[in-house]
Amino acid sequence: MITQKLDAINDYANAVNVASEILKSGGIVAVPTETVYGLAASAYSDDAIKSVFTAKGRPQDNPLIVHIASIDMLDNIACDIPDMAYECAKAFWPGPFTMVLPKGDKIADSVSAGLDTVAVRFPSDKTICDIILKSGLPLAAPSANTSGRPSPTTASHVIEDLDGKIDAVVCGNDSSVGVESTVVSLVGEKPRLLRPGAVTPEQLRKILPDLIIDDAVLKQLKEGEKVASPGMKYKHYAPKTNAILVEGCSNSFVRYVNQKTDCAAICFEEEYYSISVKKISYGSKRNESTLAKNVFAVLRDIDTLGVKEVYIHAPSKDGVGLAVYNRLIRACGFNVVTL
Ligand code: TXA
Ligand code: MG
């Protein structure tokens, strides 16, 4: 298959029109969103959804998020919607926030991988919203990476993973948030945070004071343990190089990596010039939003460094730092050193 590259920066209207036509005829198209690029398909078409799973090599039991471009569209996606869902929608939509709700009948079963729930998000990115409105379709869209690889925050990341496997890529701006949306389940007894993102637990608790943070956010699940979100159990974001997450202050981190050999450091910009091994900075330790924006691109770069091991300095778990930490601990296969 030849993957069309649609230029949404210089020829926006054409990119939106062509992408919408491909989606209406059952094709699959990678599109920018504010969090990461998504691989979109009509949420009404079982066949199109199956092509998404195939292109990504995604395990069949890992459900997709349905994207909408107005709150009115929610009635076509979910049913028995609780009042707190509308309160969350008012507070966090459009934006990097996903709710798990009881699934409506119109959505293809494969979207939810056989569950009776559905995840839904109204993104703030103009391009994906215009494509949803133009095509008239809710779009199921997982991150547009090969399963297991870091999520794509640029069109070239998408092309690196999926060229020749999908119908088109809408090449737009780099993702401004950089980590995937916050996922909250509203179907259990209490609201539950399944995946941290740019909407933080502090912000969520203003609307959902009973919020529980699922164990899988920071801990490794045991073999066979039941998961609320199937995506949590898979190995994720991992570079091929052996990666280790290091917790500790800047002085200890610098001393630790400087006495190692055949390794590289993923560090904060404050430490960069004190480190004597190969190194990449992913931003200031005081700015979790920058760390979030850079984390996946840096994870993609690790394998180009040609070293045996990489030591990643862990961010604080404050604010969006929790989401960065959650992605890094998976990238490191839960291999953590505390200094
Ligand atoms: O920011 C995002 O959410 C991006 C962009 C493209 O919107 N999408 C994304 O999709 O990250 P994906 O497929 O990579 O991650 C979806 C996550 C997975 O962890 C999946 O298990 C969970 O959402 N999920 C989807 N439907 C669910 C459901 N019905 N119940 C529980 N978890 C669900
Ligand atoms: Mg993903």
Side-chain angles (χ1 to χ4, degrees):
M1 179 189 296
I2 292 177
T3 300
Q4 283 190 64
K5 320 289 188 301
L6 303 168
D7 182 349
I9 292 176
N10 298 305
D11 203 356
Y12 184 77
N14 180 63
V16 168
N17 282 339
V18 175
S20 308
E21 287 308 315
I22 296 173
L23 289 161
K24 282 200 285 187
S25 61
I28 59 175
V29 181
V31 293
T33 90
E34 73 276 24
T35 56
V36 300
Y37 272 68
L39 178 56
S42 164
Y44 297 143
S45 164
D46 247 317
D47 285 342
I49 302 300
K50 283 184 183 129
S51 317
V52 167
F53 277 87
T54 308
K56 277 181 63 81
R58 185 175 176 101
Q60 294 295 330
D61 64 347
N62 192 6
L64 312 184
I65 295 172
V66 177
H67 296 70
I68 57 178
S70 70
I71 294 181
D72 292 345
M73 286 176 81
L74 191 54
D75 293 334
N76 286 327
I77 318 295
C79 58
D80 303 326
I81 302 169
D83 288 345
M84 66 182 159
Y86 290 105
E87 286 163 31
C88 288
K90 211 169 132 205
F92 305 125
W93 279 355
F97 174 74
T98 296
M99 302 189 251
V100 175
L101 294 168
K103 180 177 166 297
D105 297 338
K106 290 188 189 161
I107 297 300
D109 285 336
S110 51
V111 168
S112 283
L115 299 174
D116 54 9
T117 55
V118 64
V120 55
R121 171 162 111 86
F122 177 175
S124 61
D125 184 272
K126 178 170 162 46
T127 314
I128 184 168
C129 288
D130 283 346
I131 295 171
I132 294 168
L133 295 173
K134 183 95 200 171
S135 64
L137 294 168
L139 296 177
S143 48
N145 52 306
T146 299
S147 229
R149 295 259 298 146
S151 295
T153 52
T154 68
S156 46
H157 292 162
V158 176
I159 293 166
E160 217 170 88
D161 281 12
L162 299 177
D163 200 15
K165 296 181 176 169
I166 62 179
D167 295 295
V169 186
V170 176
C171 302
N173 293 318
D174 296 355
S175 302
S176 56
V177 174
V179 289
E180 309 92 330
S181 61
T182 302
V183 180
V184 172
S185 170
L186 296 180
V187 296
E189 237 168 69
K190 290 193 172 166
R192 179 177 289 266
L193 176 67
L194 301 181
R195 182 176 71 182
V199 174
T200 64
E202 298 75 27
Q203 291 171 309
L204 292 168
R205 286 209 166 101
K206 291 197 179 128
I207 313 289
L208 304 168
D210 290 346
L211 183 79
I212 295 170
I213 301 198
D214 197 86
D215 272 352
V217 168
L218 289 174
K219 285 200 217 120
Q220 185 164 28
L221 297 161
K222 296 192 193 75
E223 193 73 35
E225 200 169 330
K226 192 176 174 292
V227 285
S229 178
M232 299 266 210
K233 71 184 177 193
Y234 293 106
K235 190 171 162 131
H236 248 113
Y237 318 124
K240 293 186 189 86
T241 313
N242 188 27
I244 299 123
L245 192 62
V246 182
E247 300 221 48
C249 68
S250 275
N251 284 343
S252 318
F253 181 75
V254 169
R255 233 178 297 129
Y256 184 75
V257 294
N258 282 352
Q259 43 136 16
K260 300 270 178 192
T261 49
D262 199 5
C263 78
I266 305 300
C267 63
F268 302 128
E269 82 191 12
E270 291 86 348
E271 301 152 357
Y272 189 83
Y273 291 105
S274 311
I275 292 174
S276 52
V277 296
K278 283 188 187 170
K279 59 211 168 176
I280 306 177
S281 157
Y282 69 123
S284 167
K285 62 182 169 192
R286 292 189 187 80
N287 189 341
E288 286 91 13
S289 302
T290 308
L291 300 176
K293 192 168 156 47
N294 293 334
V295 66
F296 284 133
V298 166
L299 285 173
R300 279 178 184 257
D301 285 344
I302 285 175
D303 290 329
T304 65
L305 294 170
V307 292
K308 205 167 122 244
E309 270 169 350
V310 62
Y311 295 94
I312 306 179
H313 200 170
S316 94
K317 299 189 194 87
D318 294 339
V320 65
L322 181 67
V324 180
Y325 191 100
N326 166 276
R327 307 314 190 267
L328 286 174
I329 201 167
R330 282 171 171 71
C332 294
F334 292 89
N335 197 351
V336 182
V337 171
T338 306
L339 300 177

